[in-house]
Amino acid sequence: MMLEFLAAVNEAGCAGYSPRRPDCVLMEVMNQLDQLKQYTTVVADTGNFRQLAQFAPRDATTNPSLILKAVQQPEYGPLLKETVTAHKGQPLEEIVDHVLVRFGREILAVVPGRVSTEVDARLSFDTAATVARARRIMALYEDAGIARERVLIKIAATWEGIQAARILEHEGIRCNLTLLFAFCQAVACGEAGVQLISPFVGRIYDWYKKAAGPAWDEAANAGANDPGVKSVAQIYTYYKKFGIATEVMGASFRNTGQILALAGCDLLTISPELLAQLQGTDAPVTRALDPAAAAKAPVHAVTYHEASFRWALNEDAMATEKLAEGIRAFAADAAKLDRMIEGL
């Protein structure tokens, strides 16, 4: 109602408040970030908790690569060393979890909502080990006085990871299924009762752009036509159409155009660099995804068991390649973090 009122005042020709024109009010132009927040929950995609306050996100996400990047910065060195020293003598993987949780706790001191903390990507094909690691991470948060409602356990959206999330969700441990590139992954996550999924817009875009080579037309594949944007829109529509409660959080953006083309998505996790760009412009933002429109979409329900899931994923060359590539990259950064901790 307030936005409608202000728009009407503008239309009436009021440039600002005047004692002689009590019908006029001082207009404050909203930047794109604030406009986006009217439609979508904004999440900061960073391990650098000192950057968070200026963007006022509700939640924050981390992954091994972001944590590795953060701990290599001088201002975070003492925090890393203090945490490692406090747990000397424990197995390396336990020390790593203490480091991840310490960063998560620092983030939760800044954001009012949730933080996502990732299970080691090297466990992506081991359901039992993923469940055990997730339970330990959650126990560390709870030992520190953090309610489990404020933590999402990030797990790669492999078949094994999705089954681990099914178990954890039944225990009240909420999960964020990441490295999600294929529609079958999203459907399986919804069937498993996962709290949230993170489809990777930018990495899907990267694959199609590389595959097209010189034939790629940037303008024709921008906005709603961006292949990463189309993937998220398809998932969002399917979930809303069939009342699936799993939250959709678009991730891995390459530019603000991709972000704005998904305004209205449940959540969007955005890097500090792109958050700053959104904050720096006041061009209008319009809602792109709407649950009412999605509910009317002509789509049909599907289901997957293990064999059909693996086949559908195999048939999607982009998703197969990007999932494997993402797991390898996160695993490599997890190994680098291991070596850094061992060297302290």
Side-chain angles (χ1 to χ4, degrees):
M1 291 297 294
M2 178 59 73
L3 289 176
E4 293 172 0
F5 170 70
L6 293 178
V9 170
N10 257 1
E11 194 172 334
C14 300
Y17 175 77
S18 167
R20 291 173 295 179
R21 292 288 308 280
D23 58 318
C24 292
V25 295
L26 183 64
M27 297 299 295
E28 181 180 349
V29 177
M30 296 176 69
N31 63 51
Q32 286 192 319
L33 180 58
D34 288 337
Q35 292 179 68
L36 180 65
K37 289 177 180 178
Q38 296 177 100
Y39 311 119
T40 292
T41 296
V42 171
V43 179
D45 194 16
T46 181
N48 186 342
F49 51 82
R50 293 192 172 96
Q51 286 184 301
L52 293 175
Q54 62 183 304
F55 304 116
R58 192 196 74 179
D59 299 348
T61 58
T62 65
N63 62 44
S65 301
L66 293 175
I67 295 295
L68 179 66
K69 182 179 178 181
V71 298
Q72 290 175 321
Q73 298 177 35
E75 60 265 41
Y76 293 108
L79 180 64
L80 175 64
K81 188 172 183 179
E82 173 193 325
T83 305
V84 172
T85 300
H87 301 284
K88 278 287 188 183
Q90 294 183 13
L92 176 61
E93 65 176 32
E94 293 185 21
I95 297 175
V96 170
D97 286 347
H98 279 288
V99 170
L100 299 180
V101 170
R102 180 61 187 274
F103 271 79
R105 288 165 52 199
E106 296 290 343
I107 289 169
L108 288 174
V110 181
V111 302
R114 305 170 296 189
V115 67
S116 291
T117 298
E118 190 150 348
V119 169
D120 193 322
R122 291 168 289 189
L123 304 178
S124 295
F125 302 101
D126 189 331
T127 296
T130 296
V131 169
R133 197 71 173 263
R135 287 170 177 160
R136 185 168 71 207
I137 290 171
M138 186 59 74
L140 291 176
Y141 273 112
E142 292 185 317
D143 288 346
I146 304 296
R148 61 175 53 191
E149 290 75 21
R150 299 198 67 198
V151 179
L152 292 171
I153 301 296
K154 272 180 97 173
I155 301 169
T158 58
W159 179 259
E160 294 81 2
I162 295 169
Q163 302 319 303
R166 184 191 298 273
I167 295 168
L168 293 166
E169 292 282 354
H170 279 296
E171 297 177 1
I173 296 175
R174 304 304 178 210
C175 299
N176 171 355
L177 272 288
T178 188
L179 293 175
L180 196 143
F181 304 98
F183 183 65
C184 64
Q185 291 174 289
V187 172
C189 286
E191 292 177 337
V194 167
Q195 179 71 31
L196 180 147
I197 61 170
S198 297
F200 275 35
V201 176
R203 297 193 194 191
I204 294 174
Y205 162 88
D206 293 343
W207 190 92
Y208 281 101
K209 183 175 181 179
K210 181 179 179 180
W216 178 260
D217 185 333
E218 188 67 36
N221 290 286
N225 293 322
D226 183 297
V229 170
K230 288 166 71 175
S231 177
V232 176
Q234 179 191 22
I235 294 165
Y236 175 92
T237 298
Y238 185 84
Y239 278 10
K240 303 312 176 191
K241 172 74 174 182
F242 296 106
I244 296 169
T246 299
E247 302 169 62
V248 182
M249 181 172 73
S252 170
F253 294 105
R254 298 294 177 258
N255 54 66
T256 58
Q258 293 174 334
I259 295 167
L260 298 177
L262 290 172
C265 192
D266 299 329
L267 307 96
L268 297 173
T269 182
I270 306 169
S271 69
E273 294 76 18
L274 293 178
L275 286 170
Q277 289 182 35
L278 291 168
Q279 202 172 56
T281 180
D282 56 12
V285 175
T286 57
R287 182 166 198 152
L289 302 184
D290 180 73
K296 300 174 184 176
V299 297
H300 301 287
V302 296
T303 189
Y304 292 97
H305 51 71
E306 181 176 356
S308 59
F309 172 90
R310 293 191 186 282
W311 180 252
L313 189 61
N314 179 75
E315 286 293 277
D316 188 331
M318 175 278 297
T320 297
E321 293 174 23
K322 298 308 287 186
L323 174 60
E325 177 185 273
I327 290 171
R328 286 195 299 268
F330 283 166
D333 284 341
K336 290 177 184 176
L337 183 59
D338 286 352
R339 291 193 292 273
M340 182 179 291
I341 289 171
E342 287 178 316
L344 291 178

